[in-house]
Amino acid sequence: MLWEQYVYRRGNEVFELWDGLFSGRDIKPLYIGGRGFDVRSQAVLAAFVASVKGSAVSVQDAKQLLIGFSGYRLDDDIKALTETNTTELTRIFSEIGTTEELPFGGPTEGDEEISTSNALRAGVAKVQAQLDGYTDVILDISSLPRIVYLTLLTSLLNHFIPNKEIDPEREHPLVASGVNFQVLVGEDAALDAHIRAEDPSNELVLIPGYSAVLQLGSLLELPLVWFPILGENRVNQLEKVLNSDYIPARAEVCPVVPHPSKDPRRADRLLVEYSGPLFDTGLTTTSSVLYAHESHPFEAYRQLLSAMRRYRDSMLILGGCRLVVTPLGSKLITLGAGLACFEMHPENLSKKYGVGIPYAEPTRYVASAEKLTRSSPIISALVLTGEAYGITPATASTPA
Amino acid sequence: MRDENAIQLLAKVMSWTEDSALQVRSLQLLADFKYDSYQRFGPGRKFIESLALWLNQFDPSDREAALELVRDKLVFLSDDELSHLVTTAYPDLVIQERLRIVAEENAIPLHRVREIASHPRFNELRIKSLFLGLSDGARTNELRRASFGEISNEQIWQAYELGDNKVDDMLEELKDALEQAGSNSEQSRFNLIWLLDDFSGSGNTYIRYDTKNRRFKGKLQKIYSRLHRGDLVDRSNYEVYLLLYVATRQAIDHIEYWAERFTSEKGYKPLQLRVLCPIENEVRLVDSMSAPLLKLIHAQKNYDERAHDKHTLVGGTEDARLGFAGCALPVVLAHNTPNNSIYLLWGPELLKPFGLFPRVSRHREF
């Protein structure tokens, strides 16, 4: 397991983490955020900039990449909020560096719309082209759509960790040449419940790099295990995936629900909400339900990874399997699922198993501009690679 | 009883027509998922039948409110959910505490997790950790399994009252394990004490102050005085953690306040409380209830005075309608309903009305 030891901080602990991470060295940070309507990203960025400025650290060539995306239908006040957000994020970051806007998707040179999957691929390539030379890469998912941050997360991990094999004789893969890759989330559970994702697209998106098991003819006969991660108000998105050709009638279905949760009835309510497509149809049974901690991405990662490994090991005896995850839950659980998918994904398909992430992206978001503006999010930070996972040679030989 | 008959029985008691199919489906789904697994139901008894019989005790005009309690308020923690909490305890709490201590002792930045975990002191602290169950719900076996062999048999015990022979065995094993690990530790004593329990509703079981006799009572008082005998624990360097899988905010506040007073008065190391699944005050059946539900819970006819005995008296309330210490919880654990929940949920089968998830009382509770 790659993240057997992990670095995860919430609330005030995040500032202590940054103090430790930045102190006494020169940093060259690349901050990747969203050019979206969710103004919680401002609080996250402001905290980050204040922390960097307050540390005894020399900052060089700091850059913010603001990812833009098109194709969503938003009310006018939310559109206006998107513009204000962009201006504010640029202003906040100007205290330490420059900002560049980077659109994902939209018309190509020939004015033709490209598919979402291709737009994601092209966008990620543009981000990857900018990574060289940065000591710290920070992905702030607070204002990014789920398909965008999942694509960025998995592809950046792929970039920093080209070889996932843990060899005691060699440096741990997570050292990643010393580049500190961290993911930030500004969360406000009460506000999340007021942002409605509506009208899922008819075009299912397959997260780039996680599509072969759902498309390659030679693999389509393999049994499929589906892990839909349940979240409120997304039954129609689940149904889009369920009713597609990707999920066969004989699929093993293991819904994942949040537990423990601040609301101890949350898992029960979600099962009732999804009972129509999942249980009433006989597709799955309540004994197949898995649990993942609502606000601990590394716990969710561990649960999902161990379930996937268990299925893989059993199914390999039968000739192989396809492991498919559809993340509809909170951002923190989705991050955990992303880590599990990354680690589980084989380097090539000769392994007789693979991982797929199909998703039905909503085309419309409805939110209250006033509630968004008043939100005071809790910040979470996950350090995924870099010095946290290195060992100074002298340490291991120090006597007890 | 077969499911179809149980559903018919429920529909009859509730005077339902066909438009109640959705409610029945939801209840049946949650019955399959968890409620049927209540371990105090008699053989062959399932939830829907029990629900119908429980509802049938109330006036027809009160039954909708009683159903509201089940449909909208009930918090049932299944065996699987508790097991899941236990699996998170070792990697996400126990290991994290060891990382923190080793980082502080050796001035290593806390985020350098692999460096800390590679430090010999990290392994030494693993060996010098003692895990004690505070009740039969502590699931010590499950915790040991969840540690993937990092907790040995002689580091974990299902009870906190340790006989001298048991202590000797533990110390012998500790000495051997330290030698095997190449540790040059001078003391073969434990540094980290983890006290384990599944649930706390009020916190009284662990620590309370007897104003009449002016002394502290409860399990913590007994444990601390046992630890300070000096044979088991390195008194110059130790930490005591109370790890609760589930606890209410009321219990958390109570334990933190009284444990701090107790340990500072006695000169002991402060207790460190860790809770995997806190139940916040919003869940309590006091503020946000509908008027019919409030009336149902408080009505004299819906309560049996015999439920209030010398044990519930310790909680300081005049009756047990809102449960021990007036906790007013809607909580049921798969193996038994805590008496901190409202009487209507835990009332024993022989009383009238009986609870939806009747409780089996332990001989000595507090």
Side-chain angles (χ1 to χ4, degrees):
Chain A
M1 186 180 280
L2 282 171
W3 288 278
E4 188 177 352
Q5 306 296 344
Y6 58 79
V7 182
Y8 174 54
R9 304 286 187 269
R10 256 167 91 78
N12 289 334
E13 293 173 344
V14 173
F15 297 96
E16 290 168 29
L17 166 71
W18 286 335
D19 283 348
L21 197 59
F22 298 140
S23 72
R25 65 185 179 96
D26 297 341
I27 64 166
K28 189 175 173 188
L30 177 66
Y31 194 98
I32 306 166
R35 191 189 175 285
F37 62 80
D38 198 331
V39 292
R40 284 177 285 188
S41 53
Q42 288 176 32
V44 180
L45 179 63
F48 176 79
V49 169
S51 192
V52 167
K53 285 179 69 185
S55 304
V57 60
S58 161
V59 184
Q60 299 163 7
D61 300 330
K63 185 192 238 186
Q64 174 175 227
L65 282 183
L66 278 185
I67 310 287
F69 19 86
S70 52
Y72 296 100
R73 285 182 290 124
L74 305 172
D75 292 339
D76 287 344
D77 56 345
I78 300 299
K79 272 186 197 161
L81 208 56
T82 306
E83 296 308 316
T84 314
N85 201 23
T86 307
T87 308
E88 272 303 295
L89 291 171
T90 305
R91 184 192 64 74
I92 296 166
F93 200 79
S94 68
E95 295 186 39
I96 58 169
T98 58
T99 295
E100 177 184 328
E101 291 190 31
L102 202 158
F104 273 32
T108 59
E109 284 176 10
D111 269 344
E112 283 180 19
E113 289 286 341
I114 58 172
S115 76
T116 309
S117 292
N118 285 338
L120 288 168
R121 268 194 196 89
V124 162
K126 283 190 244 173
V127 173
Q128 284 183 333
Q130 304 222 18
L131 295 173
D132 277 357
Y134 287 102
T135 59
D136 293 77
V137 175
I138 302 101
L139 174 63
D140 175 3
I141 69 165
S142 311
S143 192
L144 286 169
R146 193 169 302 233
I147 50 164
V148 176
Y149 72 73
L150 264 177
T151 303
L152 281 168
L153 174 75
T154 49
S155 57
L156 289 175
L157 285 173
N158 226 24
H159 178 89
F160 292 124
I161 311 169
N163 179 3
K164 290 181 280 191
E165 198 175 324
I166 298 171
D167 179 350
E169 301 299 315
R170 288 174 24 207
E171 198 168 59
H172 195 278
L174 296 186
V175 174
S177 306
V179 177
N180 300 305
F181 174 37
Q182 57 176 306
V183 179
L184 307 181
V185 191
E187 244 201 325
D188 176 347
L191 178 61
D192 283 340
H194 286 100
I195 300 177
R196 293 202 319 272
E198 296 183 343
D199 306 338
S201 167
N202 285 325
E203 179 208 359
L204 284 190
V205 182
L206 298 173
I207 300 296
Y210 294 81
S211 59
V213 291
L214 296 167
Q215 288 180 319
L216 278 184
S218 59
L219 300 172
L220 295 182
E221 291 303 310
L222 290 176
L224 186 142
V225 188
W226 186 35
F227 300 93
I229 301 170
L230 308 187
E232 285 80 2
N233 306 316
R234 291 177 186 269
V235 175
N236 51 7
Q237 285 173 261
L238 176 120
E239 284 176 327
K240 286 278 181 191
V241 178
L242 177 60
N243 296 330
S244 70
D245 293 337
Y246 294 137
I247 309 297
R250 291 180 58 212
E252 297 259 2
V253 182
C254 303
V256 182
V257 293
H259 172 79
S261 162
K262 193 166 188 295
D263 171 5
R265 290 178 51 87
R266 192 171 172 216
D268 297 2
R269 280 194 289 99
L270 282 169
L271 289 186
V272 170
E273 187 179 344
Y274 285 82
S275 63
L278 290 181
F279 301 103
D280 297 349
T281 54
L283 189 69
T284 186
T285 62
T286 52
S287 60
S288 303
V289 173
L290 301 175
Y291 300 103
H293 197 300
E294 174 183 67
S295 51
H296 200 314
F298 286 101
E299 200 278 329
Y301 148 77
R302 205 169 44 234
Q303 291 299 329
L304 195 57
L305 184 65
S306 63
M308 287 167 122
R309 282 178 168 172
R310 202 169 56 238
Y311 270 104
R312 176 201 58 188
D313 294 347
S314 301
M315 296 292 202
L316 279 176
I317 298 169
L318 298 173
C321 69
R322 297 177 291 156
L323 304 160
V324 173
V325 177
T326 298
L328 302 166
S330 69
K331 284 177 176 165
L332 290 171
I333 290 188
T334 301
L335 283 175
L339 298 182
C341 289
F342 166 74
E343 183 161 345
M344 199 65 205
H345 196 39
E347 62 274 20
N348 62 60
L349 294 169
S350 65
K351 300 277 187 189
K352 300 281 187 198
Y353 72 92
V355 181
I357 312 177
Y359 186 69
E361 180 69 354
T363 56
R364 177 176 163 79
Y365 282 99
V366 181
S368 154
E370 190 202 341
K371 282 183 177 144
L372 280 165
T373 313
R374 278 190 296 143
S375 169
S376 51
I378 297 173
I379 303 174
S380 298
L382 298 77
V383 179
L384 299 178
T385 67
E387 68 169 64
Y389 301 96
I391 300 175
T392 308
T395 306
S397 59
T398 308
Chain B
M1 183 181 276
R2 292 167 63 93
D3 287 349
E4 310 89 86
N5 291 335
I7 288 168
Q8 261 194 0
L9 177 64
L10 178 62
K12 174 87 176 168
V13 169
M14 291 303 294
S15 307
W16 277 341
T17 51
E18 284 178 5
D19 61 359
S20 59
L22 189 64
Q23 285 206 60
V24 172
R25 276 218 310 274
S26 302
L27 287 167
Q28 185 64 62
L29 176 73
L30 293 176
D32 289 343
F33 182 46
K34 47 171 58 171
Y35 302 157
D36 280 346
S37 68
Y38 186 60
Q39 290 166 20
R40 305 298 168 197
F41 282 154
R45 182 91 166 258
K46 287 164 86 176
F47 172 72
I48 298 289
E49 179 192 359
S50 300
L51 174 65
L53 297 176
W54 178 73
L55 289 166
N56 198 40
Q57 303 174 106
F58 306 120
D59 291 344
S61 58
D62 284 340
R63 289 177 195 169
E64 184 51 42
L67 192 66
E68 180 196 337
L69 168 65
V70 177
R71 195 184 52 220
D72 302 336
K73 306 289 180 192
L74 175 64
V75 174
F76 188 105
L77 288 153
S78 68
D79 210 42
D80 284 349
E81 285 171 321
L82 278 167
S83 288
H84 173 241
L85 291 176
V86 178
T87 64
T88 69
Y90 195 77
D92 298 327
L93 274 184
V94 176
I95 286 184
Q96 302 309 312
E97 282 301 325
R98 269 172 38 219
L99 288 171
R100 183 186 60 76
I101 292 168
V102 176
E104 283 175 8
E105 286 180 353
N106 296 280
I108 304 171
L110 185 54
H111 69 276
R112 293 187 62 93
V113 285
R114 286 204 68 247
E115 179 153 343
I116 301 167
S118 303
H119 196 286
R121 174 68 171 153
F122 184 73
N123 190 40
E124 185 185 287
L125 277 180
R126 175 186 68 76
I127 297 165
K128 288 184 157 191
S129 296
L130 177 65
F131 299 84
L132 301 175
L134 299 190
S135 77
D136 52 7
R139 295 172 181 248
T140 46
N141 271 344
E142 285 184 44
L143 182 72
R144 194 170 61 80
R145 283 197 295 274
S147 79
F148 291 99
E150 292 214 341
I151 303 175
S152 79
N153 266 329
E154 297 300 333
Q155 284 177 268
I156 193 161
W157 190 240
Q158 63 268 30
Y160 61 94
E161 285 159 334
L162 296 165
D164 289 344
N165 288 344
K166 183 68 195 168
V167 170
D168 290 345
D169 287 348
M170 286 176 154
L171 292 174
E172 192 61 34
E173 185 74 20
L174 173 62
K175 195 176 165 200
D176 289 350
L178 287 169
E179 279 173 13
Q180 270 185 26
S183 166
N184 58 6
S185 172
E186 291 172 10
Q187 284 240 31
S188 296
R189 298 282 186 275
F190 290 102
N191 287 142
L192 308 181
I193 313 300
W194 289 89
L195 309 171
L196 315 167
D197 215 344
D198 59 347
F199 177 80
S200 178
S202 69
N204 274 263
T205 315
Y206 306 102
I207 186 86
R208 63 183 184 278
Y209 190 66
D210 181 346
T211 46
K212 194 173 159 194
N213 297 310
R214 294 189 169 195
R215 65 188 181 97
F216 288 98
K217 287 186 167 179
K219 293 175 181 176
L220 288 176
Q221 179 262 333
K222 290 177 193 166
I223 292 162
Y224 266 94
S225 68
R226 174 66 190 84
L227 296 180
H228 267 254
R229 265 202 236 163
D231 54 343
L232 192 61
V233 167
D234 176 358
R235 283 194 293 179
S236 65
N237 184 358
Y238 75 99
E239 302 283 351
V240 182
Y241 301 90
L242 174 58
L243 168 51
L244 300 172
Y245 306 140
V246 183
T248 64
R249 183 57 55 192
Q250 183 178 345
I252 293 168
D253 292 345
H254 174 96
I255 296 168
E256 284 183 337
Y257 176 76
W258 286 107
E260 202 280 330
R261 285 196 51 177
F262 164 68
T263 52
S264 59
E265 188 175 296
K266 301 282 182 187
Y268 295 149
K269 251 322 194 26
L271 177 81
Q272 301 200 46
L273 179 62
R274 301 287 183 270
V275 178
L276 289 166
C277 179
I279 304 277
E280 300 298 343
N281 283 333
E282 300 91 87
V283 171
R284 296 178 68 207
L285 297 169
V286 284
D287 298 327
S288 57
M289 278 189 298
S290 68
L293 185 50
L294 199 66
K295 179 172 155 261
L296 176 87
I297 293 169
H298 285 275
Q300 185 58 40
K301 64 188 172 187
N302 294 335
Y303 175 66
D304 191 323
E305 291 287 355
R306 288 176 290 171
H308 193 44
D309 56 19
K310 64 177 183 181
H311 302 307
T312 52
L313 202 60
V314 178
T317 55
E318 290 179 0
D319 62 49
R321 235 170 282 221
L322 294 180
F324 181 77
C327 289
L329 296 177
V331 174
V332 174
L333 306 181
H335 69 275
N336 207 3
T337 305
N339 66 355
N340 314 88
S341 289
I342 57 169
Y343 169 81
L344 285 177
L345 289 177
W346 60 261
E349 274 177 310
L350 295 175
L351 302 190
K352 286 190 177 174
F354 53 83
L356 178 58
F357 297 96
R359 168 182 171 74
V360 174
S361 195
R362 285 174 287 177
H363 179 59
R364 278 185 66 210
E365 300 224 39
F366 314 112

